[in-house]
Amino acid sequence: MLRSPDAEAADQPYSSAFHSWDEKASVRTAPRRVLESPLPAHPFPPELVPVFRHPLVTQLPEPQQNFLLAQHLYRYLDFTTQLELVVVNGALLKLALQAEYGLSEPMRLDALRMMCDESYHALFSVDMKLQVTRAYGIAAPTDARAWFLTRLERLLCDMDPTAREVAKLLFVTVSETLISASLAEHNRGTAAPAAVRDMLQDHAIDEGRHHVFFAYFAKHLWARLDTAERLHAGRLIPHLIDAFLSADTGAIEGDLRSAGLSHDDAHQVATEIYLNGDVARQKRQAASRTMRYFAELDAFHDGSAQAELVRYGLVEVT
C-alpha cells in the first residue's frame, strides 16, 4: 500500500467542500439543541422504528412503546458517538498528520475540520441522550457498545497490519458515504422533539461536506492499492457496508423483552421485521451511492466480490 498513485487518478484535482466551513459548520454556528416544553408524547417517531411495524409492538401500552422508542434513539446516539470518536477521528488524525497518505495540504486541512465536526457530533449526541433520559424518565444503557464495532474488530483481527490499515480507511470511507442516507431516513419523522430533529439536521448538513471529501478519497486511496490489495478490498467492502447498516437484533430482542414481550414473541418480532424483503431493499437503497463509487473503480469485477455482494443482500438476485 501507499505506493505512488496511478497517473489517471493523480490528474483529478481536489475540490474542497469546506470553503464556507467557518460560516456553516454546526460546531461554529448551531446553537445547543435543548428539549422543548411541553414534551411531545414520544421521544422518537414510531414510524421510523422498524419494530413498530409489528402488531405485537403496536399493541403494547404507551409507556412500554416509549421505552422502545427511547432505546432506539439511545442506540443511534451511541452508534454516532462511537463511530465518530473511535473510528472516524482516528482515521482523520492519521490523514491530517501523516504525509505518507499522499494528501494535499487542502485535504489535510479539511481532515482537521472534519475532526472538529465529528467531535461535536459525539458531544451533542451524548448531550441529547442525557436530556432525553432526564426528561422522559427512561433509563439509557450506560455501557452499550455499538454492534458495528464488534463486527469490525472481528474482520480486522486476522489481518496483517498493512491490510488492517487499508480496511480501516475503507470502513471510514464507507461509513462517511453511507451516513448521509441514514441521517435522511432518521430525519423524516415529525412526531419527535424539535431538538432531536434539529440535531439530526445539524449532523446531516455537516455530513454532506464529509460525503464529498470521502467520495474523492475513495479514488485517492484506490489509486494507491496494488492489484492484490484491490482484489481483497473488493471482497471486503460488502462486509463493511453490512457491518455499518445491519441492526443489532440481539440487543433489539433484549429491548423487546424489557418492554414486556416474552422471549418467543421478541424473537418473532425481530425475525419478521429484520429478515424480510423490505429491510433488504432499504439496505440496498441506503448503500446505492457508496456502491456506485466503488463500482466506478471496478472494485467488484472479481467473482468473489460479486459473491459477497449477493451474500449480504447488496444486489438483488432475480
Side-chain angles (χ1 to χ4, degrees):
M1 189 209 164
L2 306 180
R3 62 186 177 83
S4 298
D6 291 345
E8 181 181 354
D11 289 338
Q12 299 176 1
Y14 174 66
S15 179
S16 176
F18 293 80
H19 295 302
S20 58
W21 181 83
D22 291 289
E23 294 77 33
K24 294 183 178 179
S26 61
V27 68
R28 291 283 197 171
T29 62
R32 180 187 179 221
R33 303 305 181 179
V34 179
L35 291 175
E36 64 268 30
S37 180
L39 285 170
H42 302 304
F44 198 75
E47 68 268 23
L48 300 186
V49 181
V51 296
F52 277 77
R53 302 170 196 159
H54 202 286
L56 288 174
V57 173
T58 57
Q59 292 169 9
L60 288 169
E62 184 174 75
Q64 282 83 349
Q65 290 190 23
N66 270 356
F67 169 83
L68 291 172
L69 293 170
Q71 299 313 308
H72 179 92
L73 176 59
Y74 296 153
R75 187 169 292 109
Y76 174 79
L77 296 173
D78 286 337
F79 180 105
T80 299
T81 301
Q82 294 169 44
L83 176 69
E84 308 293 45
L85 296 183
V86 178
V87 179
V88 178
N89 269 0
L92 288 171
L93 181 63
K94 292 179 180 179
L95 295 182
L97 298 182
Q98 296 184 22
E100 65 186 277
Y101 291 97
L103 271 64
S104 64
E105 289 300 322
M107 290 182 74
R108 293 168 74 173
L109 178 60
D110 286 348
L112 288 171
R113 287 170 169 147
M114 284 186 285
M115 285 189 69
C116 294
D117 289 344
E118 305 295 31
S119 296
Y120 186 55
H121 300 162
L123 184 152
F124 65 44
S125 295
V126 173
D127 182 20
M128 188 57 64
K129 180 180 177 181
L130 295 175
Q131 288 189 56
V132 171
T133 301
R134 289 192 296 264
Y136 284 89
I138 301 173
T142 57
D143 58 352
R145 191 170 195 269
W147 177 228
F148 82 88
L149 278 177
T150 299
R151 298 193 66 197
L152 181 60
E153 287 179 1
R154 288 174 184 170
L155 280 172
L156 297 176
C157 67
D158 294 328
M159 295 182 187
D160 65 58
T162 298
R164 191 178 300 124
E165 193 69 16
V166 173
K168 289 178 181 178
L169 291 172
L170 285 170
F171 182 75
V172 172
T173 302
V174 163
S175 66
E176 289 294 289
T177 53
L178 283 172
I179 199 168
S180 298
S182 174
L183 284 163
E185 177 64 21
H186 276 80
N187 208 23
R188 285 193 300 106
T190 57
V196 172
R197 297 198 309 272
D198 291 342
M199 178 200 69
L200 292 170
Q201 182 63 19
D202 291 340
H203 195 176
I205 291 170
D206 289 341
E207 291 297 343
R209 286 185 286 271
H210 300 193
H211 187 122
V212 173
F213 177 95
F214 278 98
Y216 179 90
F217 180 74
K219 300 175 184 178
H220 176 93
L221 175 61
W222 201 259
R224 285 161 172 76
L225 303 181
D226 62 31
T227 300
E229 288 169 331
R230 290 179 181 182
L231 287 171
H232 180 255
R235 294 190 291 268
L236 183 63
I237 289 165
H239 295 241
L240 300 176
I241 292 173
D242 187 72
F244 183 92
L245 291 177
S246 290
D248 185 353
T249 54
I252 291 167
E253 286 190 36
D255 292 342
L256 291 166
R257 293 193 298 271
S258 296
L261 294 187
S262 68
H263 182 280
D264 289 344
D265 284 349
H267 182 69
Q268 178 186 342
V269 170
T271 300
E272 292 179 359
I273 292 298
Y274 288 98
L275 297 179
N276 65 40
D278 288 341
V279 170
R281 282 191 292 274
Q282 290 167 1
K283 181 192 289 188
R284 287 193 293 272
Q285 182 177 3
S288 59
R289 281 205 289 179
T290 299
M291 294 272 292
R292 185 172 72 249
Y293 295 143
F294 286 104
E296 290 171 353
L297 297 170
D298 206 21
F300 307 126
H301 74 279
D302 182 64
S304 57
Q306 289 287 328
E308 294 303 302
L309 292 174
V310 172
R311 176 185 176 189
Y312 289 106
L314 294 170
V315 292
E316 190 169 7
V317 179
T318 57

